[in-house]
Amino acid sequence: MVAITLPDGSVKRFDGPVSGKQVAQSIGAGLVKAALAVKVDGEVRDLAREIAHDAAVEIVTRKSPEALELLRHDAAHVMAQATQELYPDTQVTFGPATETGFYYDFARKEPFTPEDLEQIERRMHEIVDRDLSLEREVWERNHAIRHFEDIGEKYKAQHIETLPAGEEISIYRQGDWLDLCRGPHLPSTKNLGHAFKLMRVSGAYWRGDASNEQLQRVYGTAWRDEKELKAYLHMLEEAEKRDHRKLGREMDLFHFQEEAPGAVFWHPKGWATFSKLLDYMKRRNEEGGYVEVNAPQIMDRSMWEASGHWEAYHEHMFTTETEDGRTFAIKPMNCPGHVQIFNQGLRSYRELPLRLAEFGKVHRYEPSGALHGLMRVRAFTQDDAHIFCTPEQVKQEVQDASRMILSIYRDFGFETVRIKFSDRPDKRIGADHVWDRLEADLKGALDEMGEPYELNPGEGAFYGPKLEFVLRDAIGRDWQCGTVQVDMNLPERLDATYVGQDGERHRPAMLHIAKLGSLERFAGILIEHYAGRLPLWLSPLQVLVATITSEADGYAREVAAALKKAGLKAEIDLRNEKINYKVREHSLKKVPVIAVVGAREAAEQTVALRRLGGQTQEVLALSEAIHRLSNEAVAPDLAAASEETAPAAPAAAAV
RNA sequence: GCCGACGUAGCUCAGGGGUAGAGCAACUGAUUCGUAAUCAGUAGGUCGCAGGUUCAAAUCCUGCCGUCGGCACCA
């Protein structure tokens, strides 16, 4: 007797082992058709596999949350079959489902061309229509290895050899094609449907190791139906529209050129926004008890040897030789400089915690293939800080820094932020009891704040555990920005000490803090998050005064002057163009507010405000418009401050 | 760094051994107009760089540089 409990709580009893399909049959004919797999006690399995014991069973259909992964995994298999049918000289390796589709890594001398991809995609549709049933077989290990070696699939054979001894070797057959696979799979290739598309080919290393040979990875996307596929492709187009490289050009913010790969040429408008970011961070630092410093851009090689950076990273450092034969390195990090500042004079425990901040411009020779617009550059500005404190102060400092980081992200309109906690890696320095304490400090800091975090086991730096702050942008992409790291290495290597209450010298704890990370990258993230529509306080140009006729030129100049006097960034467009033309042009450049003035406004001392993307306009008295806009243009940290002091404002105004 | 694709006017792109093309932008002129493109004209390019093949190269070949998509890397 096997008792099957269904999701509605009802129980079906069978005389003996029963397949998922039979369970579906016992419920209804429609369900048999819709069934793709079964969930047995929470584990997704093939429909055909037998359930031998009492279990909670759920039929997985196209609508189930588990369906997509099944579809995508099958799509990978169908693609592999199609590819091997068309190109028999291809070996298969791995082909998993991904978040939006699937890929398969192939080994083949000849590179796949975009035309090959079209061929493969056509063949995939054929294979789906062949309605091949997928059958699971369990093979004896050595037999499996021999089989794959015999047919020339050396990667598969190699993979089986590395599987743990007890593991079942399962094979999935579809028609006359088969693949080693853990499963589960759909009952038939037909169940895959046709809502898939091959996207691109690229290189990928065997087992993800750059010292291994390179395979060809073919990426595809797969969905439940055409509608979902279309929606996904549409989303990609939208993401392309908000690409910061494209918007940066259109909005005239910055450019790159060949002579300076990975280094930004900031144009006046881009630099204006960058400066506002910088100003904001300076205010927040001040408020958070940080003191700003500035350490040399270039230091002798010996400094980097002492810090340990030379040994680990000299290949990624820019260096320069001088006439006197010395080698200098352009700083790739600010920390050694900050330790030098800490080390000047004798530090007392009374000075701790000492929070040194620097908007240091660092240069790193990043691998050419890693460069990506503002997101990955070779020269960037870190909002870097190092806190020197006693071991007892670590937890409080971590908490304050975390609170500050979260508050900063809120100011930029990021609603969802995740915190990842990375603990000790295998390769590390420092005694375990020290790690125990530091990890407890980081965790404890978050627990006391009531902030949830995810565990990132073994991903800490070799010199200490860390917190990573990951924000989610408007279209759901995650960006890791802030970090809080404990460092047990540098104070030791660069011999930082302070005199404690007991009169003895002690080693300070050192924290590395970055809130936004790279300001260049953060600016890129903001551009994409806002799709170029920066909030007023960050916008390089805040109000554009556009005239309708030249009669209003004089008044337009008055308006612009008044706006500027109120601290707003304003420009005038007096060109002899139609208002439609001007509105379109400035809208495309993402100017947040257009103040339209014609004869009427000039006569009445008003402006017609038009918001970016808005369909309507609002006619306001000039003074009222200035009042509203300048309120709106206040940075969020200052706005919060002025609200707190609001009761005092009327008195001040009266003076 | 590795694999693949790409590099033509400021931008978006066509052309693929025989005189370098379009639209938009720019410039000039006309138009004074009410909320996302007024009309006409003018000018603009060593076809990424360097070699090679050829009577002839933007076009074919090789190398380099850069960009894009991944992989690897990210102190």
Side-chain angles (χ1 to χ4, degrees), chain A residues 31-227:
Chain A
L31 192 57
V32 179
K33 256 181 109 176
L36 298 181
V38 270
K39 214 162 144 184
V40 181
D41 290 333
E43 184 198 354
V44 181
R45 295 169 65 173
D46 298 334
L47 207 55
R49 282 186 76 175
E50 292 205 320
I51 305 161
H53 305 286
D54 293 0
V57 170
E58 193 184 328
I59 305 296
V60 175
T61 67
R62 235 178 162 70
K63 286 181 193 145
S64 313
E66 296 82 7
L68 265 179
E69 199 185 330
L70 279 166
L71 286 178
R72 289 169 176 165
H73 190 184
D74 270 57
H77 273 226
V78 169
M79 175 166 76
Q81 180 178 6
T83 305
Q84 291 199 311
E85 284 182 10
L86 291 162
Y87 311 97
D89 56 337
T90 305
Q91 287 187 66
V92 293
T93 66
F94 286 109
T98 66
E99 270 186 30
T100 56
F102 58 95
Y103 66 78
Y104 211 116
D105 285 346
F106 298 111
R108 179 179 182 239
K109 278 220 174 65
E110 197 73 6
F112 290 112
T113 65
E115 293 71 38
D116 294 340
L117 257 53
E118 285 172 29
Q119 289 273 353
I120 295 168
E121 191 177 307
R122 266 197 296 276
R123 182 63 68 100
M124 286 173 71
H125 288 290
E126 272 178 56
I127 293 171
V128 169
D129 291 336
R130 281 184 216 163
D131 195 7
L132 304 171
S133 64
L134 279 100
E135 279 146 30
R136 183 175 187 273
E137 293 170 15
V138 176
W139 285 13
E140 193 276 319
R141 190 188 186 89
N142 288 329
H143 167 67
I145 294 172
R146 222 172 315 117
H147 171 82
F148 284 108
E149 271 171 358
D150 287 351
I151 62 171
E153 296 282 5
K154 63 173 183 137
Y155 293 94
K156 282 286 174 191
Q158 192 187 326
H159 175 59
I160 299 169
E161 278 168 12
T162 60
L163 287 176
E167 198 157 315
E168 209 172 51
I169 311 289
S170 59
I171 299 292
Y172 279 82
R173 215 183 259 284
Q174 54 195 52
D176 52 10
W177 188 83
L178 58 77
D179 195 7
L180 170 80
C181 184
R182 194 183 295 133
H185 274 285
L186 301 173
S188 158
T189 58
K190 191 174 185 178
N191 296 107
L192 170 56
H194 293 279
F196 59 82
K197 184 172 161 54
L198 297 190
M199 305 297 282
R200 62 178 72 91
V201 222
S202 62
Y205 299 102
W206 167 237
R207 294 186 185 280
D209 185 339
S211 60
N212 285 343
E213 50 218 290
Q214 197 157 34
L215 308 168
Q216 296 189 65
R217 177 170 294 180
V218 180
Y219 281 92
T221 186
W223 301 86
R224 290 184 177 84
D225 53 47
E226 280 300 319
K227 208 175 135 196

